[in-house]
Amino acid sequence: MTVRRAAIRPAARAAAYALGAVAGYAADARFADPRRGHPVALFGSAATRLERRLWRDGRAAGAGYTALCVGAVAAGALALDRTAGRRPLGRAALAAAATWTVLGGTSLTREARTIGRSLADGDLTAARERLPHLCGRDPSALDGPQIARAVVESVAENTADAVVNALTWGALAGTPGLLAFRAVNTLDAMVGHRSPRYARFGWASARLDDVAGWPGARLTALLTVAAAPHPGTAWRVWRRDGSSHPSPNAGQAESAFAGAVGVRLGGTLRYGERVEHRPVLGAELRPVTVDDIERACALSRRVGVLALGTTVAGHVLLRALLGKRGRA
């Protein structure tokens, strides 16, 4: 009898997480992010207050800040997992809440489509005003096609960050993995950029996000190829151009999306006073048009569904293998 309980328990834990992940994904698809009191926003507020106390112009201070913020989230998630996860229903409920909290796929495509409608209506001013909700670029000098390109690139990159990477870490480490990844990704957005204040202090957050985002970025590219109308083009552009991007991860998703949608991405970008000249992804393809925003959003949703199925199956398989090793 004791052996039987030990054999059942890992499978029940994995099934409970899988059920919760599916429920959380469905909640994001139906309700998107809550407008007020979002846990990620609350984490960001707490991290901002802590930064004011700990900021020093050095990498060591930034590394300590990053470790404290991410460690607190991971430890809290692990404690919740051990407490609520003693029963399958509690584990499933916790996984559902965490998955809904960390995913941002529906909000991402809603913002993109809002900008797309403004561009389709010829309201360039409204599109420029809305673009900062989606990415950090300076929209003041962008025309319609340039805004459309920024939107498609943001949809590609954030499909990896806000959907696939989170689900990947859930597959690897359950609910604590989901929440810890979101903490890492949020810190990178807050302090990981190259500004005078954060060039050194934000170094650890940026590098940790690069490491954490590595597996999900490659999975995003693979799933994009699988979901593409013309997989051969998506595969070719990804394998040729994915590593030419200055980010070790963003280029994977953006190049695969470029080939899947059939458009040319990359080139010159402006972030406030900072200008970046990035390699062109899919140079032989056509420029982005407004209609490509909807194509990118539809592709993002297909990739998200494939990511859910892949990571849930991966989690169940991984737990089964670990359970067998533990009984060996």
Side-chain angles (χ1 to χ4, degrees):
M1 180 66 74
T2 301
V3 174
R4 182 171 178 78
R5 280 199 297 266
I8 292 173
R9 192 179 179 215
R13 289 166 62 90
Y17 171 82
L19 178 63
V22 171
Y25 187 94
D28 176 70
R30 175 65 181 85
F31 303 111
D33 293 328
R35 296 184 180 276
R36 295 182 180 180
H38 195 294
V40 174
L42 296 177
F43 168 78
S45 297
T48 298
R49 290 194 296 270
L50 184 63
E51 184 219 323
R52 292 171 185 157
R53 293 176 175 269
L54 299 183
W55 185 88
R56 301 290 187 278
D57 190 15
R59 289 184 175 183
Y65 166 77
T66 301
L68 187 58
C69 290
V70 176
V73 171
L78 187 60
L80 281 174
D81 189 59
R82 288 180 174 176
T83 301
R86 292 174 180 173
R87 297 179 180 274
L89 183 60
R91 178 170 291 274
L94 182 62
T99 302
W100 185 19
T101 294
V102 304
L103 292 184
T106 299
S107 294
L108 168 67
T109 54
R110 284 184 180 178
E111 286 290 347
R113 284 168 170 148
T114 297
I115 297 171
R117 285 193 295 270
S118 295
L119 290 175
D121 292 340
D123 193 345
L124 187 59
T125 299
R128 285 173 174 165
E129 290 176 351
R130 199 68 189 177
L131 186 62
H133 290 78
L134 196 62
C135 63
R137 300 181 197 179
D138 180 4
S140 60
L142 299 182
D143 59 19
Q146 289 171 326
I147 291 176
R149 191 192 87 194
V151 171
V152 171
E153 290 172 352
S154 295
V155 168
E157 182 177 0
N158 286 295
T159 296
D161 283 344
V163 182
V164 182
N165 256 312
L167 291 172
T168 298
W169 280 100
L172 294 173
T175 298
L178 284 168
L179 296 175
F181 173 76
R182 180 51 59 210
V184 170
N185 193 242
T186 302
L187 283 183
D188 177 61
M190 293 174 60
V191 304
H193 43 87
R194 298 176 182 176
S195 66
R197 179 176 177 86
Y198 297 126
R200 286 180 286 273
F201 184 81
W203 178 86
S205 291
R207 297 293 77 76
L208 182 59
D209 184 68
D210 287 343
V211 172
W214 195 96
R218 275 80 189 160
L219 180 59
T220 301
L222 284 171
L223 296 179
T224 300
V225 171
H230 303 287
T233 303
W235 174 267
R236 184 183 73 251
V237 176
W238 169 44
R239 299 307 297 156
R240 186 191 66 204
D241 298 340
S243 298
S244 64
H245 196 282
S247 165
N249 297 324
Q252 304 296 314
E254 289 185 23
S255 60
F257 261 69
V261 179
V263 295
R264 184 167 61 245
L265 300 178
T268 301
L269 309 175
R270 180 179 294 276
Y271 296 87
E273 297 181 354
R274 180 167 57 90
V275 177
E276 291 187 10
H277 301 284
R278 295 182 179 176
V280 175
L281 310 175
E284 73 277 19
L285 303 176
R286 61 178 175 79
V288 179
T289 65
V290 174
D291 291 340
D292 293 315
I293 293 176
E294 178 55 37
R295 295 187 182 97
C297 290
L299 177 62
S300 175
R301 300 303 289 177
R302 294 197 298 273
V303 170
V305 171
L306 289 175
L308 177 66
T310 301
T311 55
V312 164
H315 180 81
V316 172
L317 178 60
L318 178 62
R319 293 303 168 188
L321 293 175
L322 292 176
K324 288 182 179 180
R325 180 176 295 181
R327 295 191 300 272

